[in-house]
Amino acid sequence: MNKWENNIRRVVPYVPGEQPVGDRLIKLNTNENPYPPAPGVLRALQEMDYHRFRKYPDPAASVLVESLAEYHQVGADQVFVGVGSDDVLAMAFLTFFNSGKPVLFPDVSYSFYKVWAELFGIPYETPALDGDFRICTEDYKRENGGVIFPNPNAPTGLFMPLDQVRKILDGNEDVIVIVDEAYIDFGGVSALELLSEYENLLVVRTFSKSRSMAGIRIGYGVGSPRLIRALNDVKYSYNSYTMNMPSLALGVAAVKDQAYFEATTGRIMATRQQAKVRLRELGFSFPDSMANFIFASHKRVFAEQIFEALKKEQIYVRYFKQPRLENHLRITIGTDEEMERLYKFLGEYLG
Amino acid sequence: MNKWENNIRRVVPYVPGEQPVGDRLIKLNTNENPYPPAPGVLRALQEMDYHRFRKYPDPAASVLVESLAEYHQVGADQVFVGVGSDDVLAMAFLTFFNSGKPVLFPDVSYSFYKVWAELFGIPYETPALDGDFRICTEDYKRENGGVIFPNPNAPTGLFMPLDQVRKILDGNEDVIVIVDEAYIDFGGVSALELLSEYENLLVVRTFSKSRSMAGIRIGYGVGSPRLIRALNDVKYSYNSYTMNMPSLALGVAAVKDQAYFEATTGRIMATRQQAKVRLRELGFSFPDSMANFIFASHKRVFAEQIFEALKKEQIYVRYFKQPRLENHLRITIGTDEEMERLYKFLGEYLG
């Protein structure tokens, strides 16, 4: 080994997940939206002037920040945007979790919380979900350096009512509490309405699921002006120009089309309702999902076996080979046609 | 102050630079390219399918990595791409500068080196350029935790010949050496040809200057497979999906059009040659720039005074109010027409 290799940061090498491509395949493995972005996004693309690309984008991303502020009825100084919610969350870890005390998040939760904590050398503890995969708010009352959890949680899909979120906030007045609402637009109630009461609350959102824009990479955080200023200070010390011109223009267009947004999220929720009935008939059980996926296990056949069988059929779902999750499949809600193909195959395979 | 504010990372708040807008103004303050991106970039924009935006982009950014590898005649495992060279450089600081020993970079240099070092808590020392703004290679022979410098340097525009770069590399076999070549395409000779000899060398480039794509945010690093793997490991621990679909497609199109690239960089170099003659006639002196800007001071009138006068005329150049630089203006090379307006005003103002 060369001596210069000693200075390289040690991380657990991460291998990006499977991104199968092909015409016939059904991709229900990464919680993407089965519908295209809003029609206004296409118009914004068509109207984009490539001459402007030679200039730097607005570092403050003002057009997007302002359209989100208007959408959520908050001040423009309460919105921070980033390259997907992963960028917002990583920046939040770097900015807010510096006490030396352990940050708390559920043992079954978004897998990147642990990755960021390890990257930045932040200690952490992971209180266990209960037997029904629910967060025990009591576990978040101990001394800590910050709290973060998804709501609805992933990969369970379970939504925690706001009175419970409030309990966690009330027990954590001295640290920053982050509610990661990547899946909130599929029927949950947002913690945004608690913002006026808790200056230490940051709510994080993404355009990747409910707005069908995973390919454009837009996420954002909403919180008190003090939190947003701190995030911006760190962001400007890292990379002043993170949001490129296409993402700003396309993002604004996506926020504008409320009717399309409601229609497509509504369709996904209807398909999910149907999926709960059909999957139950097929012998699956699952927590009552409020997200665009269902976390299902079968009464008779092991999840990994079903996963492999589906894959042979070119139907991709997500399988986690890890304790507590290893007999579950995370199935993204696709179009009705895609789901019918899934039920049909499962009916034959399990029947 | 609330108790939770104690945990917020302390950074020196950075205020993004002036981004004046208007039809009549001449913007020579941020080293943008005065010509639009290659025509192929427009075609790629027109052919972009917005239906694909609903899916995640390729986390490995393979199409762009492969086109850059082919362009530079290196392996695809030798190229790392990021959201502008700022993203690549910040990631490189985080990945490579972990020894606890001071990282070395010139006192007059890209201002963000210091910002990243402070953000990540990396100690640093800044050896002074000599009286002619040249890097003294001897200063980089002391024990250190890594070395980084721009070549050509900014804001001086001075290019350091490769035999000197080699001297720095030969004195630093045990650390990572980063050559930041943001401005190399305007007449310098790249350190890429040293890659086969130095496994600890990382060369960083950007699409923001020579490829007229500042608004799209693309930067990249080229180095040994070992360095690139380390960068990717950290990148995937931070944000797996940094490059959005538009930047991948538009970036590939920009790399393809070599003829346009040579024509526009050639035009900028010709305009720069002319600018050296005209500015000298006007009483300016400057280091012999190999970049798309000139770092000029006037024999009689203070830089700040000229800066303010130009601004009133809606001609924006860059002025740094800091030791060693405070009597200089950094003037980006614009189109011939823009430069003529600059000379004309300066002739009248200084005459």
Side-chain angles (χ1 to χ4, degrees), chain B residues 133 155-156 279-287 294-304 306 318-319 324-331 346 350:
Chain B
F133 289 122
T156 65
L279 290 173
R280 206 169 282 126
E281 286 170 4
L282 288 162
F284 286 94
S285 60
F286 35 81
I294 289 178
F295 190 59
S297 67
H298 194 263
K299 61 181 176 191
R300 203 164 30 77
V301 186
F302 284 124
E304 192 169 12
I306 305 175
R318 187 76 186 270
Y319 174 65
R324 294 198 79 179
L325 310 183
E326 61 200 353
N327 200 22
H328 285 77
L329 298 173
R330 194 193 66 188
I331 304 168
L346 287 174
L350 300 165

Side-chain angles (χ1 to χ4, degrees), chain A residues 168-187:
Chain A
I168 292 182
L169 281 159
D170 286 334
N172 287 285
E173 291 181 348
D174 294 342
V175 296
I176 313 289
V177 176
I178 302 175
V179 184
D180 178 358
E181 295 190 339
Y183 301 102
I184 198 71
D185 291 323
F186 301 104

